[in-house]
Amino acid sequence: MKKFYFRLETPLRIKQLKEKMEKQKLSQALYRKSLEEQRLAKMKLTKKRVCEEMDNRLYNSVEIRELSDLNAFANKMDELIENQKEIIVQVNEVYEQSKKDFLKSRIERQIYEKIKELQFIEYNKMFNMEEQKISDEIGSINYSRLERNLTNEQY
């Protein structure tokens, strides 16, 4: 009997490659997401420090100009934080889309692998049936020879 051949092997390999690419995109999106979240955390920390510095200087009676500068910086930090939050929303959308694409490609690959597995099981059944048929024929031939030899010896 001939060797097992899965005629959808090429599409399966393409699906595997596509899944690998989607997995890579997903990891890049996850990395970018964490990077942007870290950036936001640093900005919030900077704003908090500036606010604390403003409070300290208020207690120490500093010049109004310095307080005005710190206030302007704190307002700019608020604006940057809001922009960063928008970036994080966009990055999350990219991450979620990458995740969906990866899961879709994984499911497609698993479908092809399941088809291959089922066809291989069917191939094995056919192979075992052929093997059994050959074994039965050999057993039948051997039995016939044995009977003929016994019959010839009796005469």
Side-chain angles (χ1 to χ4, degrees):
M1 190 169 194
K2 60 183 177 180
K3 184 179 166 186
F4 175 70
Y5 173 73
F6 182 57
R7 63 184 180 87
L8 298 175
E9 189 67 36
T10 303
L12 174 61
R13 276 191 258 135
I14 291 171
K15 297 295 181 186
Q16 289 170 336
L17 183 61
K18 184 178 177 185
E19 180 187 9
K20 187 177 181 180
M21 289 174 18
E22 293 298 334
K23 188 175 185 180
Q24 196 171 29
K25 286 180 186 177
L26 178 64
S27 66
Q28 289 172 347
L30 184 62
Y31 174 74
R32 177 117 192 265
K33 178 184 172 190
S34 66
L35 189 71
E36 296 298 337
E37 287 172 346
Q38 288 174 357
R39 186 177 287 155
L40 177 64
K42 286 179 183 178
M43 286 179 177
K44 285 182 178 181
L45 183 62
T46 302
K47 183 182 183 299
K48 183 180 176 186
R49 288 180 182 161
V50 167
C51 289
E52 289 172 355
E53 182 67 27
M54 279 177 47
D55 289 341
N56 287 339
R57 290 197 181 189
L58 274 175
Y59 291 124
N60 295 332
S61 325
V62 269
E63 293 182 17
I64 293 178
R65 195 185 77 170
E66 287 181 32
L67 287 175
S68 175
D69 290 345
L70 286 173
N71 191 32
F73 184 72
N75 290 337
K76 184 65 174 175
M77 288 303 298
D78 283 336
E79 185 181 312
L80 290 174
I81 287 171
E82 289 304 315
N83 288 342
Q84 190 64 26
K85 285 180 181 178
E86 291 175 13
I87 290 172
I88 287 177
V89 167
Q90 292 171 354
V91 168
N92 275 334
E93 289 173 0
V94 169
Y95 168 73
E96 290 300 322
Q97 186 60 44
S98 295
K99 187 176 171 182
K100 287 178 186 176
D101 292 344
F102 171 69
L103 292 175
K104 181 181 175 189
S105 65
R106 174 186 269 173
I107 289 170
E108 288 175 353
R109 178 195 49 87
Q110 287 174 339
I111 289 170
Y112 277 88
E113 286 181 347
K114 188 66 174 176
I115 291 171
K116 182 178 181 178
E117 180 183 330
L118 292 173
Q119 286 184 1
F120 186 71
I121 289 170
E122 186 64 31
Y123 168 80
N124 278 337
K125 284 180 184 176
M126 295 299 290
F127 184 77
N128 289 338
M129 286 174 52
E130 285 289 323
E131 203 173 67
Q132 186 64 40
K133 184 178 175 184
I134 291 170
S135 294
D136 289 347
E137 287 179 13
I138 290 173
S140 176
I141 291 170
N142 285 339
Y143 183 73
S144 309
R145 284 184 186 167
L146 183 63
E147 269 193 8
R148 267 188 286 164
N149 286 342
L150 286 176
T151 313
N152 289 338
E153 287 179 7
Q154 288 178 358
Y155 294 115

